[in-house]
Amino acid sequence: MEALKQNVYTEKDYYALPEDVRAELIEGEFIYNLAAPSRIHQKFVRFLIHKIQTYIDYKGGSCEVYPAPFSVRISNDDTTVVEPDISVICDPNKLTDAGCDGAPDWIIEIASPSNFRNDYVRKLNLYKQARVREYWIVDPEEKNIIVYYLKNREYIVETYTFEDKIKVNIYDDLYIDISELK
């Protein structure tokens, strides 16, 4: 009996997808995002981008904020391209016409039941390996935010409710108060 051949897809396959297909490529496997984001998902994305961009503009910072769909080639191999809900990139040398080549400084994912395993397991491990400085998982159903941030080369984990002011660890003085989201 002949062994089944498993396809390992690459960045080339990812960029060959039709424009109307939303997918991520994680370790050679396509993860298709067929459902459009919910209204609450979009509300969180809009709120967080506004808060982050307002802070960057006020401080005259060089970081840039990008919502999905925005391609992030997270590692040096060509088998992983993700589309985080929000990416903050502070090194302009990582930005290309295709998206981001390397680990963003801060990634935010808005969790939903359909992407639970990807956000809480696969992407968490991927972002840890890539040394993303800060990773937030915002869970509208559980009404909490799990924050992972690098400190002394290790991830520190903190959990917040939607009533807490959350320290953004890549900045000295940025706090985000989710309770302001109406």
Side-chain angles (χ1 to χ4, degrees):
M1 178 184 235
E2 186 178 327
L4 293 174
K5 182 181 176 187
Q6 184 176 8
N7 286 336
V8 175
Y9 296 99
T10 68
E11 184 179 346
K12 182 178 176 183
D13 300 308
Y14 171 83
Y15 287 113
L17 290 171
E19 281 191 29
D20 63 337
V21 174
R22 280 203 61 211
E24 294 179 300
L25 179 64
I26 299 178
E27 297 170 335
E29 177 186 347
F30 276 115
I31 310 297
Y32 291 96
N33 302 314
L34 301 176
S38 68
R39 183 184 62 80
I40 193 72
H41 179 282
Q42 295 297 70
K43 198 171 182 175
F44 272 101
V45 168
R46 189 181 72 240
F47 173 80
L48 290 166
I49 286 176
H50 172 74
K51 291 290 183 185
I52 298 164
Q53 190 63 59
T54 300
Y55 174 84
I56 291 169
D57 291 345
Y58 177 75
K59 291 290 188 172
S62 62
C63 299
E64 295 191 34
V65 185
Y66 293 94
F70 180 75
S71 298
V72 175
R73 187 171 166 256
I74 197 81
S75 60
N76 288 333
D77 72 33
D78 67 346
T79 62
T80 301
V81 182
V82 292
E83 292 184 2
D85 290 318
I86 301 172
S87 300
V88 179
I89 298 101
C90 298
D91 180 353
N93 295 318
K94 291 182 180 180
L95 295 171
T96 69
D97 288 341
C100 179
D101 192 7
D105 294 271
W106 181 16
I107 290 176
I108 302 172
E109 296 283 7
I110 313 302
S112 68
S114 66
N115 68 5
F116 181 88
R117 183 176 179 276
N118 281 331
D119 292 341
Y120 284 92
V121 180
R122 288 184 90 172
K123 287 185 176 181
L124 171 60
N125 290 325
L126 187 67
Y127 298 158
K128 277 183 179 181
Q129 289 172 351
R131 316 270 321 142
V132 171
R133 291 174 51 204
E134 188 157 356
Y135 174 43
W136 287 21
I137 302 173
V138 178
D139 191 328
E141 285 195 11
E142 295 296 321
K143 294 184 176 27
N144 69 22
I145 299 101
I146 300 174
V147 174
Y148 299 87
Y149 65 95
L150 280 175
K151 184 174 182 178
N152 299 326
R153 303 180 61 91
E154 295 293 327
Y155 262 132
I156 305 297
V157 182
E158 296 178 347
T159 302
Y160 298 91
T161 72
F162 285 3
E163 301 305 314
D164 298 322
K165 260 189 174 170
I166 304 168
K167 168 79 171 86
V168 177
N169 295 282
I170 68 166
Y171 297 112
D172 292 331
D173 58 351
L174 175 57
Y175 293 82
I176 295 181
D177 186 349
I178 299 292
S179 69
E180 293 176 1
L181 178 62
K182 305 292 182 220

